[in-house]
Amino acid sequence: MKNVIFYFSGTGNSLALAKQITQKLGDTELISVPAYSDAAEPIKITAERIGFVFPVYFGCLPPVMKRFISNLEFGREQYIFGVANFGGGSWLAFGQLDSALAERGAALSAAFPVKMPGNYIVKYGALPQSLQNKILERAKSKADGIAEAVKGKIPSAIPRGAPPLKIFEKRLLKITEGFGKMAENFHAGENCNGCGVCAKVCPAGNISLKDSAPVWGGSCEQCMACIQWCPREAVNYADKTAKRKRYHHPEIKLSEMFRTKPD
Ligand SMILES: Cc1cc2nc3c(=O)[nH]c(=O)nc-3n(C[C@H](O)[C@H](O)[C@H](O)COP(=O)(O)O)c2cc1C
């Protein structure tokens, strides 16, 4: 394939964008990052155009993306683009993506920020449906524009976050580095019937079933997939989420979110 797009997604927003860009671009392989993020051997990327599509977490690049990139080997003259999506803003994510690439001798050619419905249920519930629809409609036309720009290998400026944000960067990174430990806040309530959907959608493979009840390990990515995709709304985070409306991208099927393992 001439092009490759790597994505990470908890509630389908990144996957929907990545799929749309893949289809418009043609000749593009779409690969889910988490299953490869701890690959033993370095991964050599020979594609002409390389994309990274991911959500912004606490203003940052998700740690799983950073780990994945640290294991990549790039060629020469490749067009590398990032699509950061978020509820509010891309903040420090593109600068961090570019830095992660620089550590591998590569550089970001273009950055495409896309607003999507926010999914951080620990702080807020799903947006009203009409607002979600508006945001998703706009994002669709944005994704078409991204595909066109990528086809033409058009470069762009890389937003690195306003200076006040840089002051908080260390603190924000510290939060993301603590994601594993934050898994201890998840729990399943009486509604849980042991169906195992949470374990299947967990991109980190961090959930197992014990006596038909989910148990969280220490390698959480905080993507909220376990809460947002639970068909019985039985999974919650501490005492923060029980009464909040769930969200996942309306055009992404549950089965598309199942963790895929490399061959
Ligand atoms: C742990 C966590 C932290 C988040 N932090 C931010 C943030 O700092 N800024 C922002 O605009 N959106 C933030 N969001 C919202 C997501 O970036 C946004 O909803 C994204 O589209 C989700 O993509 P996905 O469905 O592919 O996982 C956060 C979401 C989660 C789960």
Side-chain angles (χ1 to χ4, degrees), residues 62-172:
V64 66
M65 295 301 292
K66 192 167 183 226
R67 287 202 312 280
F68 176 66
I69 292 167
S70 73
N71 203 25
L72 298 184
E73 280 178 7
F74 294 92
R76 297 175 72 184
E77 293 181 20
Q78 290 167 316
Y79 176 87
I80 305 179
F81 66 98
V83 179
N85 65 101
F86 44 76
S90 65
W91 294 11
L92 301 156
F94 286 117
Q96 293 173 355
L97 173 60
D98 197 32
S99 300
L101 291 167
E103 282 176 28
R104 307 304 298 156
L108 198 55
S109 313
F112 302 105
V114 184
K115 182 172 170 60
M116 290 296 263
N119 71 347
Y120 192 33
I121 192 165
V122 174
K123 291 277 182 233
Y124 51 82
L127 299 175
Q129 197 58 54
S130 58
L131 184 51
Q132 279 185 37
N133 294 346
K134 255 190 213 158
I135 295 171
L136 290 170
E137 237 6 84
R138 253 182 250 143
K140 270 190 182 167
S141 61
K142 188 116 203 230
D144 282 345
I146 294 172
E148 277 308 308
V150 170
K151 238 183 223 172
K153 297 190 183 174
I154 298 177
S156 79
I158 313 300
R160 283 170 201 284
L165 275 175
K166 290 296 273 183
I167 299 170
F168 294 112
E169 186 163 22
K170 264 195 191 147
R171 226 182 286 172
L172 292 167

Side-chain angles (χ1 to χ4, degrees), residues 8-15 55-60 85-89 91 116-120 124 179 222-224 247:
F8 166 58
S9 188
T11 53
N13 287 348
S14 306
L15 176 54
V56 174
Y57 285 173
F58 293 93
C60 295
N85 65 101
F86 44 76
W91 294 11
M116 290 296 263
N119 71 347
Y120 192 33
Y124 51 82
F179 278 177
Q222 284 289 298
C223 69
M224 303 293 137
Y247 170 82

